Coordinates of all heavy atoms in Angstrom, one line a residue:
G330 N -59.8 -87.8 -41.6 CA -60.8 -88.3 -42.5 C -61.7 -87.2 -42.9 O -61.5 -86.0 -42.6
P331 N -62.7 -87.5 -43.7 CA -63.7 -86.5 -44.3 C -64.6 -85.9 -43.2 O -64.7 -86.5 -42.2 CB -64.4 -87.3 -45.3 CG -64.4 -88.8 -44.8 CD -63.1 -88.9 -44.2
S332 N -65.1 -84.8 -43.4 CA -66.0 -84.1 -42.6 C -67.4 -84.8 -42.7 O -67.6 -85.7 -43.6 CB -66.3 -82.7 -42.9 OG -66.9 -82.6 -44.2
V333 N -68.3 -84.6 -41.7 CA -69.6 -85.3 -41.7 C -70.4 -84.9 -42.9 O -71.1 -85.8 -43.6 CB -70.4 -85.0 -40.4 CG1 -70.8 -83.6 -40.3 CG2 -71.6 -85.9 -40.3
E334 N -70.2 -83.6 -43.4 CA -70.9 -83.2 -44.6 C -70.4 -84.0 -45.8 O -71.1 -84.5 -46.7 CB -70.7 -81.8 -44.8 CG -71.5 -80.9 -43.9 CD -70.8 -80.7 -42.6 OE1 -69.7 -81.2 -42.4 OE2 -71.3 -80.0 -41.7
E335 N -69.1 -84.3 -45.9 CA -68.4 -85.0 -47.0 C -68.9 -86.4 -46.9 O -69.2 -87.1 -47.9 CB -67.0 -84.9 -46.9 CG -66.4 -83.5 -47.2 CD -65.0 -83.3 -47.1 OE1 -64.4 -83.9 -46.1 OE2 -64.3 -82.5 -47.7
Q336 N -69.0 -86.9 -45.6 CA -69.4 -88.4 -45.5 C -70.9 -88.5 -46.0 O -71.2 -89.5 -46.6 CB -69.4 -88.8 -44.1 CG -68.0 -89.1 -43.5 CD -68.1 -89.6 -42.0 OE1 -68.3 -88.8 -41.2 NE2 -67.8 -90.8 -41.9
T337 N -71.7 -87.5 -45.7 CA -73.1 -87.6 -46.2 C -73.2 -87.7 -47.6 O -74.0 -88.3 -48.2 CB -73.8 -86.5 -45.5 OG1 -73.7 -86.4 -44.1 CG2 -75.4 -86.6 -45.8
E338 N -72.4 -86.8 -48.2 CA -72.4 -86.6 -49.6 C -71.9 -87.9 -50.3 O -72.6 -88.4 -51.3 CB -71.5 -85.5 -50.2 CG -72.0 -84.1 -49.8 CD -73.3 -83.7 -50.8 OE1 -73.6 -84.6 -51.7 OE2 -74.0 -82.7 -50.5
M339 N -70.9 -88.5 -49.8 CA -70.4 -89.8 -50.3 C -71.4 -90.9 -50.1 O -71.6 -91.7 -51.0 CB -69.1 -90.1 -49.6 CG -67.9 -89.3 -49.9 SD -66.3 -89.9 -49.3 CE -66.6 -89.7 -47.6
A340 N -72.1 -90.9 -48.9 CA -73.1 -91.9 -48.7 C -74.2 -91.8 -49.7 O -74.8 -92.8 -50.2 CB -73.6 -91.8 -47.3
R341 N -74.7 -90.5 -49.9 CA -75.9 -90.3 -50.8 C -75.5 -90.8 -52.2 O -76.3 -91.4 -52.9 CB -76.2 -88.8 -50.8 CG -77.4 -88.6 -51.7 CD -77.9 -87.1 -51.7 NE -78.3 -86.6 -50.4 CZ -79.5 -86.7 -50.0 NH1 -80.4 -87.5 -50.7 NH2 -79.9 -86.2 -48.8
S342 N -74.3 -90.4 -52.6 CA -73.9 -90.9 -54.0 C -73.8 -92.4 -54.2 O -74.4 -92.9 -55.2 CB -72.5 -90.3 -54.3 OG -72.0 -90.6 -55.6
S343 N -73.2 -93.0 -53.2 CA -73.2 -94.5 -53.3 C -74.5 -95.1 -53.0 O -74.9 -96.1 -53.7 CB -72.2 -95.1 -52.3 OG -70.9 -94.7 -52.5
G344 N -75.4 -94.4 -52.3 CA -76.7 -94.9 -52.0 C -77.5 -95.0 -53.2 O -78.4 -95.8 -53.4
R345 N -77.4 -94.0 -54.1 CA -78.3 -94.0 -55.3 C -77.9 -95.1 -56.2 O -78.6 -95.6 -56.9 CB -78.0 -92.5 -56.0 CG -78.8 -91.5 -55.3 CD -78.5 -90.1 -55.8 NE -79.3 -89.1 -55.2 CZ -79.0 -87.8 -55.1 NH1 -77.9 -87.3 -55.6 NH2 -79.8 -86.9 -54.5
I346 N -76.5 -95.4 -56.3 CA -76.1 -96.6 -57.0 C -76.6 -97.8 -56.5 O -77.2 -98.7 -57.2 CB -74.6 -96.6 -57.2 CG1 -74.0 -95.4 -57.8 CG2 -74.1 -97.8 -57.9 CD1 -72.5 -95.2 -57.8
L347 N -76.6 -97.9 -55.1 CA -77.2 -99.1 -54.4 C -78.7 -99.2 -54.7 O -79.1 -100.4 -55.0 CB -77.0 -98.9 -53.0 CG -77.5 -100.0 -52.0 CD1 -76.7 -101.3 -52.1 CD2 -77.5 -99.6 -50.5
A348 N -79.4 -98.2 -54.8 CA -80.8 -98.2 -55.0 C -81.1 -98.8 -56.4 O -82.2 -99.4 -56.7 CB -81.5 -96.9 -54.9
S349 N -80.2 -98.5 -57.4 CA -80.3 -98.9 -58.8 C -79.9 -100.4 -59.0 O -80.1 -100.9 -60.1 CB -79.6 -98.0 -59.7 OG -78.3 -98.0 -59.5
L350 N -79.3 -101.0 -58.0 CA -78.8 -102.3 -58.2 C -80.0 -103.3 -58.3 O -81.1 -103.0 -57.7 CB -77.9 -102.8 -57.0 CG -76.5 -102.4 -56.9 CD1 -75.9 -103.0 -55.7 CD2 -75.8 -102.7 -58.2
Q351 N -79.8 -104.4 -59.0 CA -80.8 -105.5 -58.9 C -81.0 -106.1 -57.6 O -80.1 -106.1 -56.8 CB -80.4 -106.6 -59.9 CG -80.5 -106.1 -61.4 CD -80.2 -107.3 -62.4 OE1 -79.7 -108.4 -61.9 NE2 -80.5 -107.2 -63.6
A352 N -82.2 -106.4 -57.2 CA -82.4 -106.8 -55.8 C -81.6 -108.0 -55.5 O -81.1 -108.2 -54.3 CB -83.9 -107.3 -55.7
E353 N -81.2 -108.9 -56.5 CA -80.4 -110.0 -56.2 C -79.0 -109.6 -55.7 O -78.4 -110.2 -54.8 CB -80.2 -110.9 -57.4 CG -81.4 -111.7 -57.8 CD -82.4 -110.9 -58.6 OE1 -82.1 -109.7 -58.9 OE2 -83.4 -111.4 -59.0
K354 N -78.5 -108.5 -56.3 CA -77.2 -108.1 -55.9 C -77.1 -107.5 -54.5 O -76.2 -107.6 -53.7 CB -76.6 -107.0 -56.9 CG -76.3 -107.6 -58.3 CD -75.8 -106.6 -59.2 CE -75.4 -107.3 -60.5 NZ -74.9 -106.3 -61.6
R355 N -78.2 -106.8 -54.1 CA -78.4 -106.3 -52.7 C -78.4 -107.4 -51.7 O -77.9 -107.4 -50.7 CB -79.6 -105.4 -52.6 CG -79.4 -104.0 -53.4 CD -80.4 -103.0 -52.8 NE -81.8 -103.4 -53.0 CZ -82.6 -103.2 -54.1 NH1 -82.1 -102.6 -55.1 NH2 -83.9 -103.5 -54.1
S356 N -79.1 -108.5 -52.2 CA -79.3 -109.6 -51.3 C -77.9 -110.3 -51.2 O -77.4 -110.8 -50.0 CB -80.1 -110.7 -51.9 OG -81.5 -110.2 -51.9
E357 N -77.1 -110.3 -52.2 CA -75.7 -110.9 -52.1 C -74.8 -110.2 -51.1 O -74.1 -110.7 -50.4 CB -74.9 -110.7 -53.5 CG -75.4 -111.7 -54.6 CD -74.8 -111.5 -55.9 OE1 -73.9 -110.7 -56.0 OE2 -75.2 -112.1 -56.9
I358 N -74.9 -108.8 -51.0 CA -74.2 -108.1 -50.1 C -74.5 -108.4 -48.7 O -73.7 -108.6 -47.8 CB -74.4 -106.5 -50.3 CG1 -73.9 -106.1 -51.7 CG2 -73.8 -105.7 -49.2 CD1 -74.3 -104.7 -52.1
I359 N -75.8 -108.6 -48.5 CA -76.3 -108.9 -47.1 C -75.9 -110.3 -46.6 O -75.5 -110.5 -45.5 CB -77.8 -108.7 -47.0 CG1 -78.2 -107.3 -47.3 CG2 -78.3 -109.1 -45.6 CD1 -79.7 -107.1 -47.5
C360 N -76.0 -111.2 -47.5 CA -75.5 -112.6 -47.3 C -74.0 -112.7 -47.0 O -73.6 -113.4 -46.1 CB -75.9 -113.5 -48.5 SG -77.6 -113.8 -48.6
R361 N -73.3 -111.8 -47.8 CA -71.8 -111.8 -47.6 C -71.5 -111.2 -46.1 O -70.7 -111.7 -45.4 CB -71.2 -110.9 -48.6 CG -69.7 -110.7 -48.4 CD -68.9 -112.0 -48.4 NE -67.5 -111.8 -48.1 CZ -66.8 -112.8 -47.5 NH1 -67.3 -113.8 -47.1 NH2 -65.5 -112.5 -47.4
L362 N -72.3 -110.2 -45.7 CA -72.2 -109.6 -44.4 C -72.5 -110.7 -43.3 O -71.8 -110.8 -42.3 CB -73.0 -108.4 -44.2 CG -73.1 -107.8 -42.8 CD1 -71.7 -107.4 -42.3 CD2 -74.0 -106.6 -42.8
A363 N -73.5 -111.5 -43.5 CA -73.9 -112.6 -42.6 C -72.8 -113.6 -42.5 O -72.5 -114.1 -41.4 CB -75.2 -113.3 -43.1
D364 N -72.1 -113.9 -43.6 CA -71.0 -114.9 -43.6 C -69.8 -114.3 -42.8 O -69.2 -115.0 -42.0 CB -70.5 -115.1 -45.0 CG -71.5 -116.0 -45.8 OD1 -72.4 -116.7 -45.1 OD2 -71.5 -116.0 -47.0
L365 N -69.5 -113.0 -43.0 CA -68.4 -112.3 -42.3 C -68.6 -112.2 -40.9 O -67.6 -112.4 -40.1 CB -68.2 -110.9 -42.8 CG -67.6 -110.7 -44.3 CD1 -67.7 -109.3 -44.8 CD2 -66.2 -111.2 -44.3
L366 N -69.9 -112.1 -40.4 CA -70.1 -112.1 -39.0 C -69.7 -113.5 -38.3 O -69.1 -113.4 -37.2 CB -71.6 -111.9 -38.7 CG -72.1 -110.4 -38.9 CD1 -73.7 -110.3 -38.7 CD2 -71.4 -109.4 -38.1
T367 N -70.1 -114.5 -39.0 CA -69.7 -115.9 -38.4 C -68.2 -116.2 -38.6 O -67.5 -116.7 -37.7 CB -70.5 -117.0 -39.1 OG1 -70.4 -117.0 -40.6 CG2 -72.0 -116.8 -38.7
E368 N -67.6 -115.8 -39.8 CA -66.2 -116.0 -40.0 C -65.3 -115.2 -39.0 O -64.2 -115.6 -38.6 CB -65.8 -115.6 -41.4 CG -66.4 -116.5 -42.5 CD -66.2 -115.9 -43.9 OE1 -65.4 -115.0 -44.0 OE2 -66.9 -116.4 -44.8
K369 N -65.8 -114.0 -38.6 CA -64.9 -113.1 -37.8 C -65.4 -113.0 -36.4 O -65.3 -112.0 -35.7 CB -65.0 -111.6 -38.4 CG -64.4 -111.6 -39.9 CD -63.0 -111.8 -39.9 CE -62.4 -111.6 -41.4 NZ -61.0 -111.9 -41.4
T370 N -66.2 -114.0 -35.9 CA -66.7 -114.0 -34.5 C -65.7 -113.8 -33.5 O -65.9 -112.9 -32.6 CB -67.5 -115.3 -34.3 OG1 -68.5 -115.5 -35.2 CG2 -67.9 -115.4 -32.9
E371 N -64.5 -114.4 -33.6 CA -63.5 -114.2 -32.5 C -63.0 -112.7 -32.5 O -62.8 -112.2 -31.5 CB -62.3 -115.1 -32.8 CG -62.7 -116.6 -32.5 CD -61.4 -117.6 -32.7 OE1 -60.3 -117.0 -32.8 OE2 -61.6 -118.7 -32.6
E372 N -62.8 -112.2 -33.7 CA -62.4 -110.8 -33.8 C -63.4 -109.8 -33.1 O -63.0 -108.9 -32.4 CB -62.1 -110.4 -35.2 CG -61.5 -109.0 -35.4 CD -61.2 -108.7 -36.9 OE1 -61.1 -109.7 -37.7 OE2 -61.1 -107.6 -37.2
I373 N -64.7 -110.1 -33.5 CA -65.8 -109.3 -32.9 C -65.8 -109.3 -31.4 O -65.9 -108.4 -30.7 CB -67.1 -109.7 -33.5 CG1 -67.2 -109.5 -35.1 CG2 -68.3 -108.9 -32.9 CD1 -68.3 -110.1 -35.8
L374 N -65.8 -110.6 -30.8 CA -65.8 -110.8 -29.4 C -64.6 -110.2 -28.7 O -64.7 -109.7 -27.5 CB -65.9 -112.3 -29.1 CG -67.3 -113.0 -29.6 CD1 -67.2 -114.3 -29.2 CD2 -68.4 -112.2 -29.0
A375 N -63.4 -110.2 -29.4 CA -62.2 -109.7 -28.7 C -62.4 -108.1 -28.5 O -62.1 -107.6 -27.6 CB -61.0 -110.0 -29.6
A376 N -62.9 -107.5 -29.7 CA -63.3 -106.0 -29.5 C -64.3 -105.7 -28.5 O -64.2 -104.7 -27.8 CB -63.6 -105.5 -30.9
N377 N -65.3 -106.6 -28.4 CA -66.3 -106.4 -27.5 C -65.9 -106.5 -26.1 O -66.3 -105.8 -25.1 CB -67.5 -107.4 -27.8 CG -68.7 -107.1 -27.0 OD1 -69.2 -107.9 -26.3 ND2 -69.3 -106.0 -27.2
K378 N -65.0 -107.5 -25.9 CA -64.3 -107.6 -24.5 C -63.6 -106.3 -24.1 O -63.7 -106.0 -22.9 CB -63.4 -108.9 -24.6 CG -62.8 -109.1 -23.2 CD -61.8 -110.3 -23.3 CE -61.3 -110.6 -21.9 NZ -60.3 -111.8 -22.0
L379 N -63.0 -105.6 -25.0 CA -62.3 -104.4 -24.6 C -63.3 -103.4 -24.2 O -63.0 -102.7 -23.2 CB -61.4 -103.9 -25.9 CG -60.3 -104.7 -26.2 CD1 -59.6 -104.1 -27.5 CD2 -59.1 -104.7 -25.1
D380 N -64.4 -103.3 -24.9 CA -65.5 -102.3 -24.5 C -66.1 -102.6 -23.2 O -66.4 -101.7 -22.3 CB -66.6 -102.3 -25.6 CG -66.1 -101.6 -26.9 OD1 -65.3 -100.8 -26.9 OD2 -66.6 -102.1 -28.0
L381 N -66.2 -103.8 -22.9 CA -66.8 -104.3 -21.7 C -65.9 -104.1 -20.5 O -66.4 -103.6 -19.4 CB -67.3 -105.8 -21.7 CG -68.4 -106.2 -22.5 CD1 -68.5 -107.7 -22.7 CD2 -69.8 -105.7 -21.9
E382 N -64.7 -104.2 -20.6 CA -63.7 -103.9 -19.6 C -63.6 -102.5 -19.2 O -63.6 -102.1 -18.0 CB -62.4 -104.4 -20.1 CG -62.1 -105.9 -20.1 CD -60.8 -106.3 -20.7 OE1 -60.1 -105.4 -21.2 OE2 -60.5 -107.5 -20.8
V383 N -63.8 -101.6 -20.3 CA -63.8 -100.2 -20.0 C -65.1 -99.8 -19.3 O -65.1 -98.9 -18.4 CB -63.6 -99.4 -21.3 CG1 -63.7 -97.9 -21.0 CG2 -62.2 -99.6 -21.9
A384 N -66.2 -100.4 -19.8 CA -67.5 -99.9 -19.3 C -68.0 -100.6 -18.0 O -69.0 -100.1 -17.4 CB -68.6 -100.2 -20.5
S385 N -67.4 -101.6 -17.6 CA -67.9 -102.4 -16.5 C -67.9 -101.6 -15.2 O -68.9 -101.8 -14.3 CB -67.0 -103.6 -16.3 OG -65.7 -103.2 -16.0
S386 N -67.1 -100.6 -15.0 CA -67.1 -99.8 -13.8 C -68.0 -98.7 -13.8 O -68.3 -98.0 -12.8 CB -65.6 -99.3 -13.6 OG -65.2 -98.5 -14.6
R387 N -68.6 -98.3 -15.0 CA -69.4 -97.1 -15.0 C -70.8 -97.3 -15.6 O -71.6 -96.3 -15.6 CB -68.7 -96.0 -15.8 CG -68.2 -96.3 -17.1 CD -67.2 -95.4 -17.6 NE -66.8 -95.6 -19.0 CZ -67.4 -95.3 -20.0 NH1 -68.5 -94.6 -20.0 NH2 -66.8 -95.6 -21.3
L388 N -71.1 -98.5 -16.1 CA -72.4 -98.7 -16.8 C -73.2 -99.6 -15.8 O -72.7 -100.6 -15.2 CB -72.3 -99.3 -18.1 CG -71.9 -98.5 -19.2 CD1 -71.9 -99.2 -20.5 CD2 -72.7 -97.2 -19.3
P389 N -74.5 -99.5 -15.7 CA -75.4 -100.3 -14.9 C -75.5 -101.7 -15.6 O -75.2 -101.8 -16.8 CB -76.7 -99.7 -14.9 CG -76.8 -98.7 -16.1 CD -75.3 -98.2 -16.2
S390 N -75.9 -102.7 -14.9 CA -75.9 -104.1 -15.5 C -76.8 -104.2 -16.7 O -76.5 -104.9 -17.6 CB -76.4 -105.1 -14.3 OG -77.7 -104.7 -13.9
A391 N -77.9 -103.5 -16.6 CA -78.8 -103.6 -17.8 C -78.1 -103.1 -19.1 O -78.3 -103.6 -20.1 CB -80.1 -102.7 -17.6
M392 N -77.4 -101.9 -19.0 CA -76.6 -101.5 -20.1 C -75.5 -102.3 -20.6 O -75.2 -102.5 -21.8 CB -76.1 -100.0 -19.9 CG -77.1 -99.0 -19.7 SD -78.0 -98.6 -21.2 CE -76.7 -97.6 -21.9
L393 N -74.9 -103.0 -19.6 CA -73.7 -104.0 -19.9 C -74.3 -105.1 -20.7 O -73.6 -105.6 -21.6 CB -73.1 -104.4 -18.6 CG -72.2 -103.4 -17.9 CD1 -71.6 -103.9 -16.6 CD2 -71.0 -103.0 -18.8
K394 N -75.5 -105.5 -20.3 CA -76.1 -106.7 -21.1 C -76.4 -106.3 -22.6 O -76.2 -107.1 -23.4 CB -77.5 -107.1 -20.4 CG -78.0 -108.4 -20.9 CD -79.2 -108.9 -20.1 CE -79.7 -110.2 -20.6 NZ -80.9 -110.8 -19.8
R395 N -76.8 -105.0 -22.8 CA -77.0 -104.6 -24.1 C -75.7 -104.5 -24.9 O -75.7 -104.9 -26.1 CB -77.7 -103.2 -24.1 CG -79.1 -103.2 -23.8 CD -79.6 -101.7 -23.8 NE -81.1 -101.6 -23.4 CZ -81.8 -100.5 -23.5 NH1 -81.2 -99.4 -23.9 NH2 -83.0 -100.5 -23.1
L396 N -74.7 -104.1 -24.2 CA -73.4 -104.0 -24.8 C -72.7 -105.3 -25.1 O -72.0 -105.4 -26.1 CB -72.4 -103.1 -23.9 CG -71.0 -102.9 -24.3 CD1 -70.9 -102.1 -25.6 CD2 -70.2 -102.2 -23.2
S397 N -73.0 -106.3 -24.3 CA -72.3 -107.6 -24.5 C -72.7 -108.4 -25.7 O -74.0 -108.5 -26.0 CB -72.6 -108.4 -23.2 OG -72.0 -109.7 -23.3
L398 N -71.8 -108.9 -26.4 CA -72.1 -109.9 -27.5 C -71.6 -111.3 -27.1 O -70.7 -111.5 -26.4 CB -71.4 -109.4 -28.8 CG -71.9 -108.1 -29.5 CD1 -71.1 -107.8 -30.7 CD2 -73.4 -108.2 -29.8
S399 N -72.2 -112.2 -27.8 CA -71.8 -113.7 -27.5 C -71.9 -114.4 -28.9 O -72.4 -113.9 -29.8 CB -72.8 -114.3 -26.5 OG -74.0 -114.3 -27.0
V400 N -71.4 -115.6 -28.9 CA -71.4 -116.4 -30.0 C -72.9 -116.7 -30.5 O -73.3 -116.6 -31.6 CB -70.8 -117.8 -29.8 CG1 -71.0 -118.8 -31.0 CG2 -69.3 -117.6 -29.6
A401 N -73.8 -116.8 -29.4 CA -75.2 -117.1 -29.8 C -75.9 -115.8 -30.3 O -76.7 -116.0 -31.3 CB -75.9 -117.5 -28.5
K402 N -75.5 -114.6 -29.8 CA -76.0 -113.4 -30.4 C -75.6 -113.2 -31.8 O -76.3 -112.7 -32.6 CB -75.6 -112.2 -29.5 CG -76.6 -111.8 -28.5 CD -76.1 -110.4 -27.8 CE -77.1 -110.0 -26.7 NZ -76.8 -108.7 -26.1
I403 N -74.3 -113.5 -32.1 CA -73.9 -113.3 -33.4 C -74.4 -114.2 -34.4 O -74.7 -113.9 -35.5 CB -72.3 -113.5 -33.4 CG1 -71.7 -112.3 -32.6 CG2 -71.7 -113.4 -34.8 CD1 -70.1 -112.4 -32.5
N404 N -74.7 -115.5 -33.9 CA -75.3 -116.4 -34.8 C -76.7 -116.0 -35.2 O -77.2 -116.1 -36.2 CB -75.3 -117.8 -34.1 CG -73.9 -118.5 -34.2 OD1 -73.1 -118.2 -35.0 ND2 -73.8 -119.4 -33.3
S405 N -77.4 -115.5 -34.1 CA -78.8 -114.9 -34.2 C -78.8 -113.8 -35.3 O -79.7 -113.6 -36.1 CB -79.5 -114.5 -33.0 OG -79.6 -115.6 -32.2
L406 N -77.8 -112.9 -35.1 CA -77.7 -111.8 -36.1 C -77.6 -112.3 -37.5 O -78.1 -111.8 -38.4 CB -76.4 -111.0 -35.7 CG -76.6 -109.9 -34.6 CD1 -75.2 -109.3 -34.3 CD2 -77.5 -108.9 -35.1
S407 N -76.7 -113.3 -37.7 CA -76.4 -113.9 -39.0 C -77.7 -114.5 -39.6 O -78.0 -114.3 -40.8 CB -75.4 -114.9 -38.9 OG -75.0 -115.5 -40.2
I408 N -78.5 -115.1 -38.8 CA -79.7 -115.7 -39.2 C -80.7 -114.6 -39.7 O -81.3 -114.6 -40.7 CB -80.4 -116.6 -38.2 CG1 -79.5 -117.9 -37.9 CG2 -81.8 -117.1 -38.6 CD1 -79.9 -118.6 -36.7

Side-chain angles (χ1 to χ4, degrees):
S332 67
V333 65
E334 289 83 2
E335 291 170 334
Q336 283 184 289
T337 309
E338 289 290 352
M339 290 189 293
R341 185 182 291 279
S342 178
S343 294
R345 284 171 175 158
I346 300 173
L347 177 67
S349 67
L350 282 183
Q351 292 183 347
E353 290 83 358
K354 292 183 178 179
R355 293 199 298 273
S356 295
E357 285 176 9
I358 295 172
I359 300 168
C360 288
R361 177 58 183 149
L362 177 56
D364 291 339
L365 286 171
L366 289 177
T367 53
E368 292 171 14
K369 304 289 185 179
T370 296
E371 290 186 9
E372 186 178 342
I373 297 168
L374 294 179
N377 189 240
K378 184 180 178 182
L379 292 175
D380 290 327
L381 287 168
E382 288 173 355
V383 174
S385 59
S386 61
R387 54 192 181 87
L388 285 185
S390 58
M392 292 290 286
L393 286 173
K394 190 171 182 180
R395 287 182 180 180
L396 177 61
S397 175
L398 291 180
S399 63
V400 174
K402 267 191 178 182
I403 293 173
N404 287 337
S405 294
L406 275 174
S407 181
I408 294 170

